[in-house]
Amino acid sequence: MSSDDSSPKRISDIVERLAGLFTDRGGELYGGEAVTQLEHALQAAQLAEQEDRPSHEIVSALLHDVGHLIHDLGDDCAERGIDDIHERAGSDWLESEAGFHGAVTQPVRLHVPAKRFLCAVDADYHASLSEASQLSLSLQGGPFTDDEVAAFRKTPYSESAVRLRTWDDKAKIPGLPTPSLQHFLSLIDPSMFVPT
Ligand code: FE
């Protein structure tokens, strides 16, 4: 990467690429739910903003399922027994292609492990998951063991990932009004990128 990775020009390029991904793929249904990928992303970001979380957490919430927008497995792959590993594809893309810092990428990477963590530590949590989310949980490895819970607690950004998970789970309301994609993309600033 060049020395101007966090320059305004590079940020505007990244914002443009992200806007393009949502334009091209954001209208697809969010697997097994009654909202689109774009609606889901905007609702997750809105929940983060409503809790007055810092901008990097709001942007992480907006982009947490970008992995779904960069693969070609279809929106029903969980129903077909395929785990698309979208959390890794998404965080890898945000890190290597866009240059985002771990404060943005790690909650994305950990938002599926956070579900496995919450299922292990909160008896009511599993029951609260939607049918689609319960189905994907088994493909994702099921609830964490005690050792996995302990390791997760020590993982950097795991608390942020648990917050993201709770927004993710709620961001499935058909027709809910939200701010625009542009509103949330405008929160992206140089501090969210790895310095070079
Ligand atoms: Fe999600």
Side-chain angles (χ1 to χ4, degrees):
M1 288 192 281
S2 66
S3 61
D4 62 350
D5 278 345
S6 58
S7 69
K9 171 74 175 86
R10 176 159 165 82
I11 291 176
S12 70
D13 287 349
I14 288 162
V15 166
E16 205 171 304
R17 279 185 82 180
L18 291 168
L21 275 180
F22 280 107
T23 301
D24 292 345
R25 306 282 303 267
E28 294 176 10
L29 279 185
Y30 177 63
E33 311 285 352
V35 291
T36 65
Q37 292 284 351
L38 176 60
E39 289 169 324
H40 176 65
L42 295 176
Q43 289 184 29
Q46 174 169 250
L47 286 160
E49 190 169 58
Q50 286 170 344
E51 290 186 19
D52 288 329
R53 298 308 306 169
S55 296
H56 60 82
E57 280 196 22
I58 300 170
V59 169
S60 194
L62 178 75
L63 302 178
H64 78 276
D65 278 337
V66 77
H68 284 309
L69 306 181
I70 57 174
H71 76 60
D72 290 310
L73 295 172
D75 66 27
D76 63 343
C77 55
E79 288 149 53
R80 293 185 283 121
I82 299 167
D83 179 1
D84 63 12
I85 321 179
H86 72 281
E87 69 280 13
R88 270 177 267 169
S91 59
D92 284 351
W93 190 89
L94 292 170
E95 193 179 315
S96 61
E97 292 287 318
F100 279 109
H101 188 273
V104 174
T105 65
Q106 285 308 104
V108 173
R109 177 171 292 268
L110 295 174
H111 84 276
V112 172
K115 178 165 87 170
R116 300 179 63 200
F117 168 81
L118 282 166
C119 284
V121 300
D122 183 347
D124 295 330
Y125 177 78
H126 181 264
S128 76
L129 292 176
S130 68
E131 203 177 319
S133 207
Q134 291 194 12
L135 172 66
S136 57
L137 173 70
S138 57
L139 295 173
Q140 290 154 349
F144 272 164
T145 63
D146 290 349
D147 285 350
E148 287 169 329
V149 164
F152 183 77
R153 287 191 202 278
K154 289 186 199 148
T155 305
Y157 303 108
S158 59
E159 288 180 7
S160 179
V162 168
R163 281 191 289 276
L164 171 50
R165 184 74 228 179
T166 62
W167 303 323
D168 185 13
D169 293 328
K170 289 180 194 158
K172 301 173 179 178
I173 301 173
L176 185 75
T178 62
S180 66
L181 176 62
Q182 197 47 49
H183 165 75
F184 292 119
L185 289 176
S186 73
L187 299 177
I188 294 175
D189 72 47
S191 73
M192 296 177 197
F193 295 87
V194 176
T196 55

